[in-house]
Amino acid sequence: MFKLMFLEWKKLKRHSVIGEVIIYWLILMFMPMFFIKMIMPAFGQSYASAIELNFFIQLGFILFGGSLINQVFIEEYKNKTISLSFRYPISRKKLFMAKVLFISLFVFLATMISFILTGLTTYLLDQVFPIINGQPTDSDISTYFSSMIIGSLIVPLIGFIPLFFFAIWKRETVPTIVCSIVTMQLPNFSSFTNFKPEFVIAVLCILGALSIYLSIKTAESVGEI
Amino acid sequence: MNNIVKTTGLTKNIKGKQLVTNINLHIHKGEIYGLLGQNGAGKTTIMKMLTGITKPTSGEIELFGQRFTDRSKFILKRVGSIIEYPIFFEHLTAIENLKLHCEYLGYYDDKGIKQALDMVHLKGIEDKYVKEFSLGMKQRLGIARAIITKPELIILDEPTNGLDPIGIKDTRDLILMLNKEYGITFILSSHILKEMEQVVDRIGVIDNGKLLNEVTLEDIRKQRTDYIELLTTDVQKTLYLLENELHISNMKIIQGNRIRIYDLTHSQSDISKFLIIHEIGIEEIQKHTSSLEDYFYEQINRGGTIV
């Protein structure tokens, strides 16, 4: 399986994907400070608030997941290179599983690195241009690390929501990306509803897991060219 | 005979449309088998099913004596192919594409890659991106990829598409060499019947998704009915002279004024000289040799015997 995942990496337009992830990192690095300074100063009350804000900012990597789904699944169908994979002595379920695991691992690592970069940037900038009240406590630091791990796990999971219907069934790029954007924004808009953001995130995680399950379960039939 | 490929009642429907129906193919080990059919006849669909790209709606495929199912995809390790047109990861180089293919098949032999590229006369292009290749070069690279692991069965869909005359000859020679020296079985499809005639041992004629006939080229040659067709100014006198002076009896009149001579004991030039001596005007004379093309059209027009 690791070998198949590695081959997915080799098939990828690596320069463009690495470029894309660097842009994400650069933008998200400065987002908490920008947001506190320009849009919602309330998040600058304490490091605990800033950490909460950052968690929602890092959900931006859901969109990166959509972009990877596009490259790893949709582009392969559009360019018919998927038919090369189908000719190899490997079951479609295994091929799809390798693709899903590859995307999961990539998005997980990218999100994790982004959390670290954003955390460090926010802290250093705050030392030079103080915006957030006080200094981070031990409790804040441990909260940050747990939010980093939880965030890095849920982002890839939620990112798979468009996989089954838009990517494998419909094989359409634009709806996949639009779905990722909408999904990414839903927890932020939960305040307009009676639902807590945690509940929305939990539902999205379930939908992501369901999408993965259906994609692999139906790989032999829906995945047909 | 040892069948390397056998299909039974192979059928493929997509969205209610029958692409191929009840195909019973028998491809023997070590032969070069040609699938003949017009565009849209179902050749590519059959090849896609044989290579696992698409699944049959019903029917069975046997490859190397084993039933080909999702659980027996390992059989595909013994099959090389180009289906429809050579597909590559265009943003990768030629060598990266070939290495990727080898890694999927668990084949690690850089010499094998070099040898395959040499066989298709592709040199100095290893580090060139496939997106920069012409169709002919892609076709050669596709053949290199199909033969790289020396599979026991190679399936090539229109392998000479996009190739120049030299490329066509090279491909033909390569197929014949691999078949002869390595005993590789080939399934080819092509719309260039003359090309097929020079390579294949046996053909299967496909029309409207049905296999009309499977026949060896040898049998077609035996069935051939070569004749000399003649158009003269005096049909009755010509018939009389041919029958009584040249003792030709196997001939017939077609379209009222044309004579077809099936008895070829006298050459075309002998008949011409003979008629001129007897002051018969020849408006047209030509020898007709029936070919695979004639056989193909005859099968298509007659509807063949579905096998």
Side-chain angles (χ1 to χ4, degrees), chain B residues 226-228 242 246-252 260-268 271:
Chain B
D226 295 352
Y227 55 84
I228 293 168
L242 291 174
L246 292 181
H247 307 292
I248 295 171
S249 55
N250 191 0
M251 58 185 170
K252 70 175 180 185
R260 267 193 193 169
I261 304 166
Y262 296 99
D263 179 349
L264 300 180
T265 45
H266 297 277
S267 71
Q268 186 179 326
I271 293 171

mmCIF file of all heavy atoms in Angstrom, chain B residues 226-228 242 246-252 260-268 271:
data_model
loop_
_atom_site.group_PDB
_atom_site.id
_atom_site.type_symbol
_atom_site.label_atom_id
_atom_site.label_comp_id
_atom_site.label_asym_id
_atom_site.label_seq_id
_atom_site.Cartn_x
_atom_site.Cartn_y
_atom_site.Cartn_z
ATOM 1 N N ASP B 226 -9.318 -16.042 -57.678
ATOM 2 C CA ASP B 226 -8.721 -15.061 -58.584
ATOM 3 C C ASP B 226 -9.315 -15.277 -59.978
ATOM 4 O O ASP B 226 -9.672 -16.382 -60.349
ATOM 5 C CB ASP B 226 -7.203 -15.266 -58.643
ATOM 6 C CG ASP B 226 -6.559 -14.982 -57.289
ATOM 7 O OD1 ASP B 226 -7.272 -14.486 -56.395
ATOM 8 O OD2 ASP B 226 -5.370 -15.276 -57.139
ATOM 9 N N TYR B 227 -9.430 -14.229 -60.735
ATOM 10 C CA TYR B 227 -10.003 -14.348 -62.098
ATOM 11 C C TYR B 227 -9.505 -13.210 -62.982
ATOM 12 O O TYR B 227 -8.968 -12.215 -62.506
ATOM 13 C CB TYR B 227 -11.537 -14.349 -62.047
ATOM 14 C CG TYR B 227 -12.131 -13.160 -61.350
ATOM 15 C CD1 TYR B 227 -12.344 -11.953 -62.031
ATOM 16 C CD2 TYR B 227 -12.490 -13.223 -59.996
ATOM 17 C CE1 TYR B 227 -12.888 -10.854 -61.378
ATOM 18 C CE2 TYR B 227 -13.026 -12.134 -59.345
ATOM 19 C CZ TYR B 227 -13.227 -10.956 -60.026
ATOM 20 O OH TYR B 227 -13.744 -9.872 -59.381
ATOM 21 N N ILE B 228 -9.699 -13.438 -64.292
ATOM 22 C CA ILE B 228 -9.394 -12.374 -65.263
ATOM 23 C C ILE B 228 -10.730 -11.872 -65.783
ATOM 24 O O ILE B 228 -11.589 -12.679 -66.190
ATOM 25 C CB ILE B 228 -8.519 -12.925 -66.416
ATOM 26 C CG1 ILE B 228 -7.128 -13.310 -65.889
ATOM 27 C CG2 ILE B 228 -8.403 -11.893 -67.543
ATOM 28 C CD1 ILE B 228 -6.296 -14.129 -66.854
ATOM 29 N N LEU B 242 -12.543 -18.699 -76.828
ATOM 30 C CA LEU B 242 -11.899 -19.115 -75.573
ATOM 31 C C LEU B 242 -12.202 -20.584 -75.274
ATOM 32 O O LEU B 242 -11.332 -21.350 -74.868
ATOM 33 C CB LEU B 242 -12.381 -18.255 -74.399
ATOM 34 C CG LEU B 242 -11.933 -16.790 -74.380
ATOM 35 C CD1 LEU B 242 -12.624 -16.030 -73.241
ATOM 36 C CD2 LEU B 242 -10.414 -16.679 -74.207
ATOM 37 N N LEU B 246 -8.857 -22.113 -76.868
ATOM 38 C CA LEU B 246 -7.977 -22.183 -75.680
ATOM 39 C C LEU B 246 -8.458 -23.232 -74.675
ATOM 40 O O LEU B 246 -7.798 -23.453 -73.655
ATOM 41 C CB LEU B 246 -7.905 -20.809 -74.990
ATOM 42 C CG LEU B 246 -7.185 -19.707 -75.760
ATOM 43 C CD1 LEU B 246 -7.176 -18.404 -74.946
ATOM 44 C CD2 LEU B 246 -5.749 -20.085 -76.081
ATOM 45 N N HIS B 247 -9.588 -23.819 -74.942
ATOM 46 C CA HIS B 247 -10.164 -24.885 -74.090
ATOM 47 C C HIS B 247 -10.400 -24.409 -72.646
ATOM 48 O O HIS B 247 -10.110 -25.105 -71.695
ATOM 49 C CB HIS B 247 -9.274 -26.138 -74.110
ATOM 50 C CG HIS B 247 -8.988 -26.590 -75.498
ATOM 51 N ND1 HIS B 247 -9.973 -27.112 -76.336
ATOM 52 C CD2 HIS B 247 -7.842 -26.558 -76.231
ATOM 53 C CE1 HIS B 247 -9.440 -27.388 -77.514
ATOM 54 N NE2 HIS B 247 -8.149 -27.053 -77.483
ATOM 55 N N ILE B 248 -10.872 -23.178 -72.557
ATOM 56 C CA ILE B 248 -11.229 -22.647 -71.219
ATOM 57 C C ILE B 248 -12.723 -22.894 -71.006
ATOM 58 O O ILE B 248 -13.543 -22.477 -71.821
ATOM 59 C CB ILE B 248 -10.924 -21.129 -71.133
ATOM 60 C CG1 ILE B 248 -9.420 -20.899 -71.246
ATOM 61 C CG2 ILE B 248 -11.462 -20.545 -69.829
ATOM 62 C CD1 ILE B 248 -9.021 -19.433 -71.385
ATOM 63 N N SER B 249 -13.028 -23.578 -69.929
ATOM 64 C CA SER B 249 -14.454 -23.850 -69.691
ATOM 65 C C SER B 249 -14.982 -23.117 -68.456
ATOM 66 O O SER B 249 -16.159 -22.775 -68.391
ATOM 67 C CB SER B 249 -14.682 -25.350 -69.533
ATOM 68 O OG SER B 249 -13.830 -25.839 -68.504
ATOM 69 N N ASN B 250 -14.085 -22.861 -67.487
ATOM 70 C CA ASN B 250 -14.548 -22.239 -66.241
ATOM 71 C C ASN B 250 -14.612 -20.722 -66.393
ATOM 72 O O ASN B 250 -13.668 -19.999 -66.085
ATOM 73 C CB ASN B 250 -13.600 -22.638 -65.102
ATOM 74 C CG ASN B 250 -14.169 -22.259 -63.746
ATOM 75 O OD1 ASN B 250 -15.266 -21.711 -63.657
ATOM 76 N ND2 ASN B 250 -13.407 -22.542 -62.699
ATOM 77 N N MET B 251 -15.691 -20.235 -66.913
ATOM 78 C CA MET B 251 -15.882 -18.782 -67.078
ATOM 79 C C MET B 251 -17.370 -18.472 -67.091
ATOM 80 O O MET B 251 -18.190 -19.358 -67.265
ATOM 81 C CB MET B 251 -15.197 -18.298 -68.356
ATOM 82 C CG MET B 251 -15.663 -18.973 -69.607
ATOM 83 S SD MET B 251 -14.700 -18.420 -71.015
ATOM 84 C CE MET B 251 -15.245 -19.566 -72.249
ATOM 85 N N LYS B 252 -17.687 -17.205 -66.858
ATOM 86 C CA LYS B 252 -19.104 -16.822 -66.897
ATOM 87 C C LYS B 252 -19.263 -15.381 -67.376
ATOM 88 O O LYS B 252 -18.310 -14.590 -67.313
ATOM 89 C CB LYS B 252 -19.762 -17.036 -65.533
ATOM 90 C CG LYS B 252 -19.323 -16.091 -64.455
ATOM 91 C CD LYS B 252 -20.151 -16.342 -63.186
ATOM 92 C CE LYS B 252 -19.690 -15.383 -62.093
ATOM 93 N NZ LYS B 252 -20.340 -15.632 -60.818
ATOM 94 N N ARG B 260 -15.849 -13.329 -67.109
ATOM 95 C CA ARG B 260 -14.915 -13.623 -66.016
ATOM 96 C C ARG B 260 -14.344 -15.020 -66.242
ATOM 97 O O ARG B 260 -15.085 -15.994 -66.326
ATOM 98 C CB ARG B 260 -15.618 -13.592 -64.666
ATOM 99 C CG ARG B 260 -15.521 -12.242 -64.040
ATOM 100 C CD ARG B 260 -15.926 -12.303 -62.587
ATOM 101 N NE ARG B 260 -16.108 -10.925 -62.137
ATOM 102 C CZ ARG B 260 -16.659 -10.580 -60.989
ATOM 103 N NH1 ARG B 260 -17.085 -11.520 -60.173
ATOM 104 N NH2 ARG B 260 -16.773 -9.321 -60.655
ATOM 105 N N ILE B 261 -12.999 -15.065 -66.311
ATOM 106 C CA ILE B 261 -12.339 -16.359 -66.556
ATOM 107 C C ILE B 261 -11.690 -16.815 -65.241
ATOM 108 O O ILE B 261 -10.798 -16.150 -64.720
ATOM 109 C CB ILE B 261 -11.253 -16.190 -67.652
ATOM 110 C CG1 ILE B 261 -11.884 -15.614 -68.921
ATOM 111 C CG2 ILE B 261 -10.568 -17.514 -67.928
ATOM 112 C CD1 ILE B 261 -10.862 -15.110 -69.926
ATOM 113 N N TYR B 262 -12.187 -17.932 -64.727
ATOM 114 C CA TYR B 262 -11.644 -18.451 -63.470
ATOM 115 C C TYR B 262 -10.537 -19.478 -63.704
ATOM 116 O O TYR B 262 -9.777 -19.775 -62.797
ATOM 117 C CB TYR B 262 -12.758 -19.085 -62.634
ATOM 118 C CG TYR B 262 -13.800 -18.055 -62.207
ATOM 119 C CD1 TYR B 262 -14.998 -17.912 -62.898
ATOM 120 C CD2 TYR B 262 -13.558 -17.221 -61.128
ATOM 121 C CE1 TYR B 262 -15.932 -16.958 -62.533
ATOM 122 C CE2 TYR B 262 -14.480 -16.266 -60.744
ATOM 123 C CZ TYR B 262 -15.672 -16.133 -61.442
ATOM 124 O OH TYR B 262 -16.589 -15.194 -61.075
ATOM 125 N N ASP B 263 -10.493 -20.011 -64.919
ATOM 126 C CA ASP B 263 -9.454 -20.977 -65.275
ATOM 127 C C ASP B 263 -8.214 -20.173 -65.677
ATOM 128 O O ASP B 263 -8.187 -19.537 -66.732
ATOM 129 C CB ASP B 263 -9.969 -21.815 -66.446
ATOM 130 C CG ASP B 263 -8.941 -22.831 -66.911
ATOM 131 O OD1 ASP B 263 -7.773 -22.730 -66.461
ATOM 132 O OD2 ASP B 263 -9.307 -23.714 -67.702
ATOM 133 N N LEU B 264 -7.224 -20.168 -64.807
ATOM 134 C CA LEU B 264 -6.068 -19.287 -65.041
ATOM 135 C C LEU B 264 -4.869 -20.032 -65.656
ATOM 136 O O LEU B 264 -3.717 -19.682 -65.422
ATOM 137 C CB LEU B 264 -5.663 -18.596 -63.737
ATOM 138 C CG LEU B 264 -6.755 -17.730 -63.099
ATOM 139 C CD1 LEU B 264 -6.251 -17.083 -61.809
ATOM 140 C CD2 LEU B 264 -7.256 -16.652 -64.037
ATOM 141 N N THR B 265 -5.163 -21.038 -66.476
ATOM 142 C CA THR B 265 -4.062 -21.757 -67.124
ATOM 143 C C THR B 265 -3.376 -20.869 -68.178
ATOM 144 O O THR B 265 -2.206 -21.041 -68.476
ATOM 145 C CB THR B 265 -4.572 -23.051 -67.803
ATOM 146 O OG1 THR B 265 -5.759 -22.739 -68.507
ATOM 147 C CG2 THR B 265 -4.828 -24.147 -66.780
ATOM 148 N N HIS B 266 -4.132 -19.909 -68.713
ATOM 149 C CA HIS B 266 -3.548 -18.956 -69.673
ATOM 150 C C HIS B 266 -3.406 -17.597 -68.983
ATOM 151 O O HIS B 266 -4.312 -17.165 -68.288
ATOM 152 C CB HIS B 266 -4.443 -18.815 -70.906
ATOM 153 C CG HIS B 266 -4.580 -20.091 -71.652
ATOM 154 N ND1 HIS B 266 -3.660 -20.527 -72.571
ATOM 155 C CD2 HIS B 266 -5.534 -21.066 -71.588
ATOM 156 C CE1 HIS B 266 -4.039 -21.707 -73.059
ATOM 157 N NE2 HIS B 266 -5.181 -22.060 -72.466
ATOM 158 N N SER B 267 -2.244 -16.968 -69.235
ATOM 159 C CA SER B 267 -2.012 -15.685 -68.579
ATOM 160 C C SER B 267 -2.831 -14.579 -69.248
ATOM 161 O O SER B 267 -3.338 -14.760 -70.374
ATOM 162 C CB SER B 267 -0.529 -15.334 -68.629
ATOM 163 O OG SER B 267 -0.165 -15.006 -69.942
ATOM 164 N N GLN B 268 -2.861 -13.459 -68.586
ATOM 165 C CA GLN B 268 -3.605 -12.300 -69.105
ATOM 166 C C GLN B 268 -3.044 -11.862 -70.458
ATOM 167 O O GLN B 268 -3.796 -11.573 -71.396
ATOM 168 C CB GLN B 268 -3.477 -11.173 -68.078
ATOM 169 C CG GLN B 268 -4.305 -9.962 -68.396
ATOM 170 C CD GLN B 268 -4.134 -8.880 -67.310
ATOM 171 O OE1 GLN B 268 -3.960 -9.196 -66.150
ATOM 172 N NE2 GLN B 268 -4.183 -7.638 -67.708
ATOM 173 N N ILE B 271 -3.980 -14.287 -73.297
ATOM 174 C CA ILE B 271 -5.376 -14.104 -73.736
ATOM 175 C C ILE B 271 -5.494 -12.847 -74.603
ATOM 176 O O ILE B 271 -6.139 -12.848 -75.652
ATOM 177 C CB ILE B 271 -6.329 -14.048 -72.520
ATOM 178 C CG1 ILE B 271 -6.357 -15.409 -71.827
ATOM 179 C CG2 ILE B 271 -7.740 -13.636 -72.916
ATOM 180 C CD1 ILE B 271 -7.080 -15.445 -70.485
#
